[in-house]
Short mmCIF file of all heavy atoms in Angstrom, two decimals:
data_model
loop_
_atom_site.label_atom_id
_atom_site.label_comp_id
_atom_site.label_asym_id
_atom_site.label_seq_id
_atom_site.Cartn_x
_atom_site.Cartn_y
_atom_site.Cartn_z
N ALA A 249 148.47 138.84 102.10
CA ALA A 249 147.03 138.99 102.27
C ALA A 249 146.38 137.63 102.50
O ALA A 249 146.79 136.63 101.90
CB ALA A 249 146.42 139.68 101.05
N LEU A 250 145.39 137.59 103.36
CA LEU A 250 144.66 136.35 103.60
C LEU A 250 144.03 135.88 102.29
O LEU A 250 143.47 136.67 101.54
CB LEU A 250 143.58 136.57 104.65
CG LEU A 250 144.03 137.13 106.00
CD1 LEU A 250 142.85 137.16 106.96
CD2 LEU A 250 145.18 136.33 106.58
N ALA A 251 144.15 134.59 102.02
CA ALA A 251 143.65 134.02 100.77
C ALA A 251 142.68 132.89 101.06
O ALA A 251 142.73 132.26 102.12
CB ALA A 251 144.81 133.51 99.92
N LYS A 252 141.81 132.62 100.12
CA LYS A 252 140.77 131.61 100.32
C LYS A 252 141.35 130.20 100.22
O LYS A 252 142.39 129.97 99.59
CB LYS A 252 139.65 131.78 99.30
CG LYS A 252 140.07 131.57 97.86
CD LYS A 252 138.89 131.82 96.92
CE LYS A 252 139.31 131.64 95.46
NZ LYS A 252 138.18 131.90 94.53
N GLY A 253 140.64 129.27 100.87
CA GLY A 253 141.06 127.86 100.82
C GLY A 253 142.44 127.66 101.40
O GLY A 253 142.80 128.25 102.41
N ASP A 254 143.21 126.81 100.72
CA ASP A 254 144.56 126.53 101.20
C ASP A 254 145.62 127.38 100.50
O ASP A 254 146.81 127.12 100.64
CB ASP A 254 144.88 125.05 101.02
CG ASP A 254 144.82 124.60 99.57
OD1 ASP A 254 144.48 125.43 98.70
OD2 ASP A 254 145.11 123.41 99.30
N ARG A 255 145.19 128.41 99.76
CA ARG A 255 146.17 129.23 99.04
C ARG A 255 147.04 130.05 99.99
O ARG A 255 148.18 130.35 99.68
CB ARG A 255 145.46 130.14 98.04
CG ARG A 255 144.88 129.38 96.85
CD ARG A 255 144.23 130.29 95.85
NE ARG A 255 143.64 129.54 94.74
CZ ARG A 255 142.91 130.08 93.78
NH1 ARG A 255 142.67 131.39 93.79
NH2 ARG A 255 142.41 129.34 92.82
N GLY A 256 146.48 130.43 101.13
CA GLY A 256 147.29 131.16 102.10
C GLY A 256 148.41 130.30 102.65
O GLY A 256 149.56 130.74 102.76
N GLU A 257 148.08 129.06 102.98
CA GLU A 257 149.11 128.15 103.48
C GLU A 257 150.14 127.83 102.40
O GLU A 257 151.33 127.70 102.69
CB GLU A 257 148.45 126.87 104.00
CG GLU A 257 147.64 127.08 105.27
CD GLU A 257 146.73 125.93 105.57
OE1 GLU A 257 147.19 124.78 105.55
OE2 GLU A 257 145.53 126.17 105.82
N LEU A 258 149.68 127.73 101.15
CA LEU A 258 150.62 127.51 100.05
C LEU A 258 151.56 128.70 99.91
O LEU A 258 152.77 128.54 99.69
CB LEU A 258 149.87 127.29 98.74
CG LEU A 258 150.72 127.12 97.48
CD1 LEU A 258 151.67 125.93 97.61
CD2 LEU A 258 149.84 126.96 96.24
N ALA A 259 151.03 129.91 100.06
CA ALA A 259 151.87 131.11 100.00
C ALA A 259 152.93 131.10 101.09
O ALA A 259 154.10 131.43 100.85
CB ALA A 259 151.00 132.36 100.12
N VAL A 260 152.54 130.70 102.30
CA VAL A 260 153.49 130.63 103.42
C VAL A 260 154.55 129.57 103.15
O VAL A 260 155.75 129.78 103.38
CB VAL A 260 152.74 130.33 104.73
CG1 VAL A 260 153.73 130.04 105.86
CG2 VAL A 260 151.84 131.50 105.10
N GLU A 261 154.12 128.42 102.65
CA GLU A 261 155.06 127.34 102.35
C GLU A 261 156.11 127.78 101.33
O GLU A 261 157.32 127.62 101.53
CB GLU A 261 154.30 126.13 101.83
CG GLU A 261 155.20 124.95 101.44
CD GLU A 261 154.41 123.78 100.89
OE1 GLU A 261 153.29 123.99 100.39
OE2 GLU A 261 154.93 122.66 100.95
N LEU A 262 155.64 128.35 100.22
CA LEU A 262 156.56 128.76 99.15
C LEU A 262 157.46 129.91 99.59
O LEU A 262 158.66 129.92 99.29
CB LEU A 262 155.78 129.14 97.90
CG LEU A 262 154.97 128.02 97.24
CD1 LEU A 262 154.18 128.55 96.05
CD2 LEU A 262 155.88 126.87 96.81
N ALA A 263 156.90 130.87 100.31
CA ALA A 263 157.70 132.00 100.77
C ALA A 263 158.77 131.55 101.76
O ALA A 263 159.92 132.04 101.73
CB ALA A 263 156.81 133.06 101.41
N THR A 264 158.43 130.61 102.63
CA THR A 264 159.41 130.08 103.58
C THR A 264 160.53 129.36 102.86
O THR A 264 161.72 129.56 103.15
CB THR A 264 158.72 129.14 104.58
OG1 THR A 264 157.73 129.86 105.30
CG2 THR A 264 159.74 128.57 105.56
N GLU A 265 160.18 128.51 101.90
CA GLU A 265 161.21 127.79 101.14
C GLU A 265 162.09 128.76 100.36
O GLU A 265 163.27 128.49 100.13
CB GLU A 265 160.55 126.78 100.21
CG GLU A 265 159.89 125.62 100.94
CD GLU A 265 159.21 124.65 100.00
OE1 GLU A 265 159.22 124.89 98.78
OE2 GLU A 265 158.66 123.64 100.50
N ALA A 266 161.51 129.90 99.93
CA ALA A 266 162.27 130.88 99.16
C ALA A 266 163.07 131.83 100.04
O ALA A 266 163.81 132.66 99.52
CB ALA A 266 161.33 131.68 98.26
N GLY A 267 162.92 131.72 101.37
CA GLY A 267 163.80 132.47 102.26
C GLY A 267 163.19 133.61 103.04
O GLY A 267 163.92 134.42 103.63
N ALA A 268 161.86 133.73 103.12
CA ALA A 268 161.24 134.81 103.89
C ALA A 268 161.74 134.76 105.33
O ALA A 268 161.83 133.70 105.94
CB ALA A 268 159.72 134.68 103.86
N ASP A 269 162.04 135.93 105.87
CA ASP A 269 162.55 136.00 107.24
C ASP A 269 161.44 136.20 108.27
O ASP A 269 161.62 135.92 109.45
CB ASP A 269 163.56 137.15 107.35
CG ASP A 269 164.77 136.92 106.46
OD1 ASP A 269 165.56 136.01 106.76
OD2 ASP A 269 164.90 137.62 105.44
N ALA A 270 160.29 136.69 107.84
CA ALA A 270 159.13 136.86 108.70
C ALA A 270 157.90 136.96 107.81
O ALA A 270 158.00 137.38 106.66
CB ALA A 270 159.26 138.09 109.59
N ILE A 271 156.76 136.58 108.35
CA ILE A 271 155.51 136.61 107.59
C ILE A 271 154.45 137.31 108.43
O ILE A 271 154.28 136.99 109.61
CB ILE A 271 155.07 135.19 107.20
CG1 ILE A 271 156.10 134.55 106.27
CG2 ILE A 271 153.69 135.20 106.55
CD1 ILE A 271 155.91 133.07 106.02
N VAL A 272 153.76 138.25 107.79
CA VAL A 272 152.71 139.01 108.46
C VAL A 272 151.38 138.77 107.73
O VAL A 272 151.23 139.20 106.59
CB VAL A 272 153.03 140.53 108.46
CG1 VAL A 272 151.94 141.29 109.20
CG2 VAL A 272 154.39 140.79 109.06
N PRO A 273 150.43 138.08 108.34
CA PRO A 273 149.12 137.90 107.71
C PRO A 273 148.40 139.26 107.65
O PRO A 273 148.30 139.97 108.65
CB PRO A 273 148.39 136.93 108.65
CG PRO A 273 149.47 136.32 109.51
CD PRO A 273 150.52 137.36 109.63
N TRP A 274 147.89 139.59 106.47
CA TRP A 274 147.28 140.90 106.25
C TRP A 274 145.79 140.74 105.95
O TRP A 274 145.40 140.06 105.01
CB TRP A 274 147.98 141.61 105.09
CG TRP A 274 147.37 142.93 104.70
CD1 TRP A 274 146.70 143.81 105.49
CD2 TRP A 274 147.40 143.51 103.39
NE1 TRP A 274 146.30 144.90 104.77
CE2 TRP A 274 146.71 144.75 103.47
CE3 TRP A 274 147.93 143.10 102.17
CZ2 TRP A 274 146.55 145.57 102.36
CZ3 TRP A 274 147.77 143.92 101.06
CH2 TRP A 274 147.09 145.15 101.16
N ARG A 275 144.96 141.39 106.75
CA ARG A 275 143.52 141.41 106.53
C ARG A 275 143.20 142.49 105.49
O ARG A 275 142.75 143.59 105.82
CB ARG A 275 142.79 141.69 107.83
CG ARG A 275 142.82 140.54 108.84
CD ARG A 275 142.12 140.96 110.12
NE ARG A 275 141.85 139.83 111.01
CZ ARG A 275 142.07 139.86 112.31
NH1 ARG A 275 142.57 140.94 112.88
NH2 ARG A 275 141.79 138.82 113.05
N ALA A 276 143.46 142.20 104.24
CA ALA A 276 143.21 143.16 103.17
C ALA A 276 141.72 143.31 102.92
O ALA A 276 140.93 142.40 103.19
CB ALA A 276 143.92 142.72 101.89
N ALA A 277 141.33 144.46 102.37
CA ALA A 277 139.91 144.75 102.16
C ALA A 277 139.24 143.73 101.25
O ALA A 277 138.08 143.37 101.45
CB ALA A 277 139.75 146.16 101.58
N ARG A 278 139.95 143.25 100.25
CA ARG A 278 139.37 142.33 99.28
C ARG A 278 139.72 140.87 99.55
O ARG A 278 139.49 140.02 98.69
CB ARG A 278 139.80 142.73 97.87
CG ARG A 278 139.19 144.06 97.40
CD ARG A 278 139.74 144.47 96.06
NE ARG A 278 139.11 145.70 95.57
CZ ARG A 278 139.60 146.45 94.59
NH1 ARG A 278 140.73 146.10 93.98
NH2 ARG A 278 138.97 147.55 94.21
#
Side-chain angles (χ1 to χ4, degrees):
L250 304 185
K252 64 182 179 181
D254 60 357
R255 289 182 182 174
E257 291 165 50
L258 177 59
V260 171
E261 178 182 23
L262 296 177
T264 299
E265 291 178 358
D269 298 290
I271 296 169
V272 182
W274 176 30
R275 289 178 168 136
R278 291 175 177 164

